[in-house]
Amino acid sequence: MKVGILTGGGDCPGLNPVIRAAVRVIANANGQVVGLLEGWRGAIEGLTMDLTVENTDSIISQGGTILGSSRTNPYKKPADIDRLLDTYRNLGLDALIAIGGDDTLGVANRLYQDHGLGLIGCPKTIDNDLSATDVTFGFDTSINIVMEAIDRLRTTAESHRRIMVIETMGRHAGWIACYSGMATAADYILVPELEVNLSEMCDLLKRRRKEGKKYGIVVVSEGAKLSESDGFVTKDAVVDDFGHVKLGGIGDAVAEIIEKKTGIETRVVTLGHLQRGGPPSAYDRVLGTRCGIHAARMVLKKDFGKMVSLRGTKIVAVPLAEAVGTMRMLDIDFFNEAGEFFT
Ligand code: F6P
């Protein structure tokens, strides 16, 4: 059996553990694995590398993906689908494991539905916003990076009696902001799922200052809006192959409002791609490894058109169609638990 693997979309810690584990399980069954480079681009252009137990054995601790990644959408040009099908055929693939988020898995689902390719999906994203799974690998590493950064920012904020606004990634879901904010006792957390009340937040920050707290921590998710009538804050008008804008800049806008309304000196830190870089946490190495093992086992059983999914503590198979198209937004009950501290 010959199996392809690709990683698409934004990279995240935990991708290499998936690759390593899938290669091992396929090799144990005397199969052969080939990596398609740079997401769907590699599948279109036939860019490949051989994956063996030997060249993947020590990649468990490496961040990013040894295969490279891109946000290439083969459905943008019908000719690219033909080229992708040619690659699949020419390589003699029996199956393809696509590791990615909603966009990559959406393509995988269409290729399975339209052309009957042996697709298996494996969910990844630091944003933790994929449906049909409880947690995505990458998320745990990311919130630990944010937590460590905020712990450091707290000491300088306190020395200078400042408010620190920390802008996190997460796209349209507030999981990273809410988890990292709760883990660092943030004074306020702004997420895309809830209407932002900036006056309430500024009153709270002023009151805390009066009561003697010498600094403030505000965590804002990049997808939050200043008000319901305002759009997302974006870097520019450019959209990627899947139509996504580049979010970013809400932290600056929030800091400006805080300084104006409270009179307290405020600084902004946008953590950006630091949140996706570096080695995976132990949790993400283990989750990635388990996802890789189960994805490969599904390949061996020819259980195609499915995605590996964490349900409680078990890894199960769910139809790819269930996983794509709808984002898993932040649980509002969870946000309200964090909100107990915003008084
Ligand atoms: O989806 C993961 C993510 O890291 C988002 O949190 C973020 O908005 C986006 O990717 C950034 O993408 P890029 O790497 O294209 O700048």
Side-chain angles (χ1 to χ4, degrees):
M1 174 169 241
K2 192 166 178 192
V3 183
I5 300 188
L6 65 81
T7 50
D11 72 339
C12 78
L15 291 166
N16 285 328
V18 180
I19 296 167
R20 171 181 176 267
V23 167
R24 172 69 69 144
V25 173
I26 304 289
N28 286 348
N30 297 317
Q32 197 188 339
V33 188
V34 61
L36 299 168
L37 305 181
E38 298 163 24
W40 293 113
R41 184 185 298 143
I44 296 166
E45 297 179 14
L47 312 170
T48 63
M49 76 179 266
D50 289 335
L51 293 172
T52 62
V53 168
E54 290 70 33
N55 70 11
T56 55
D57 195 40
S58 59
I59 63 174
I60 194 163
S61 59
Q62 271 177 44
T65 159
I66 58 164
L67 298 177
S69 193
S70 72
R71 297 192 190 277
T72 309
N73 180 359
Y75 276 97
K76 268 197 98 179
K77 282 196 242 152
D80 282 348
I81 292 297
D82 295 336
R83 292 175 72 195
L84 185 153
L85 294 173
D86 282 346
T87 304
Y88 191 90
R89 234 183 335 258
N90 294 341
L91 288 172
L93 296 183
D94 300 294
L96 176 58
I97 299 174
I99 315 170
D102 193 58
D103 299 328
T104 305
L105 298 181
V107 170
N109 187 41
R110 281 182 77 178
L111 289 170
Y112 168 73
Q113 305 272 356
D114 299 349
H115 302 282
L117 301 192
L119 257 307
I120 296 293
C122 177
K124 67 86 225 185
T125 167
I126 62 164
D127 302 341
N128 201 33
D129 62 351
L130 259 165
S131 294
T133 192
D134 292 349
V135 184
T136 50
F137 61 80
F139 175 64
D140 181 71
T141 309
S142 170
I143 56 175
N144 277 290
I145 294 169
V146 180
M147 180 186 74
E148 214 184 292
I150 298 178
D151 285 347
R152 288 175 187 281
L153 292 168
R154 179 191 309 282
T155 61
T156 170
E158 186 162 14
S159 304
H160 289 269
R161 283 38 175 156
R162 285 172 176 157
I163 291 171
M164 278 289 171
V165 174
I166 295 97
E167 180 182 311
T168 68
M169 280 189 169
R171 208 161 247 167
H172 301 297
W175 291 104
I176 297 179
C178 199
Y179 261 82
S180 57
M182 200 186 216
T184 52
D187 294 284
Y188 217 81
I189 304 170
L190 304 171
V191 293
E193 289 85 348
L194 288 166
E195 200 172 334
V196 161
N197 189 336
L198 293 170
S199 302
E200 185 186 282
M201 177 183 72
C202 290
D203 288 347
L204 173 72
L205 292 168
K206 272 198 289 191
R207 186 159 41 79
R208 288 200 171 160
R209 180 58 59 115
K210 236 195 208 151
E211 288 164 1
K213 186 166 182 188
K214 297 187 178 67
Y215 69 96
I217 299 288
V218 172
V219 182
V220 53
S221 177
E222 63 179 0
K225 294 186 206 156
L226 288 177
S227 74
E228 270 318 289
S229 53
D230 282 310
F232 305 114
V233 183
T234 56
K235 285 202 164 60
D236 50 41
V238 179
V239 291
D240 68 17
D241 264 16
F242 290 91
H244 302 299
V245 287
K246 266 190 230 136
L247 296 172
I250 179 110
D252 292 292
V254 167
E256 208 180 302
I257 292 168
I258 291 177
E259 215 167 49
K260 214 185 275 162
K261 286 199 180 215
T262 64
I264 306 170
E265 198 180 11
T266 304
R267 293 286 189 270
V268 192
V269 175
T270 302
L271 293 171
H273 293 80
L274 273 177
Q275 292 161 93
R276 285 198 339 220
S281 64
Y283 180 89
D284 284 337
R285 292 181 198 197
V286 172
L287 180 55
T289 298
R290 294 183 71 203
C291 285
I293 290 169
H294 285 269
R297 285 183 183 167
M298 282 153 66
V299 164
L300 297 174
K301 282 194 287 181
K302 297 191 172 28
D303 197 8
F304 297 136
K306 305 262 178 78
M307 177 188 94
V308 290
S309 153
L310 179 69
R311 286 300 191 204
T313 57
K314 298 270 180 232
I315 306 284
V316 299
V318 296
L320 268 170
E322 263 179 37
V324 296
T326 336
M327 269 185 298
R328 197 171 67 92
M329 306 310 283
L330 179 66
D331 179 349
I332 300 307
D333 291 338
F334 171 54
F335 183 84
N336 288 334
E337 288 162 11
E340 287 286 351
F341 295 88
F342 307 159
T343 52

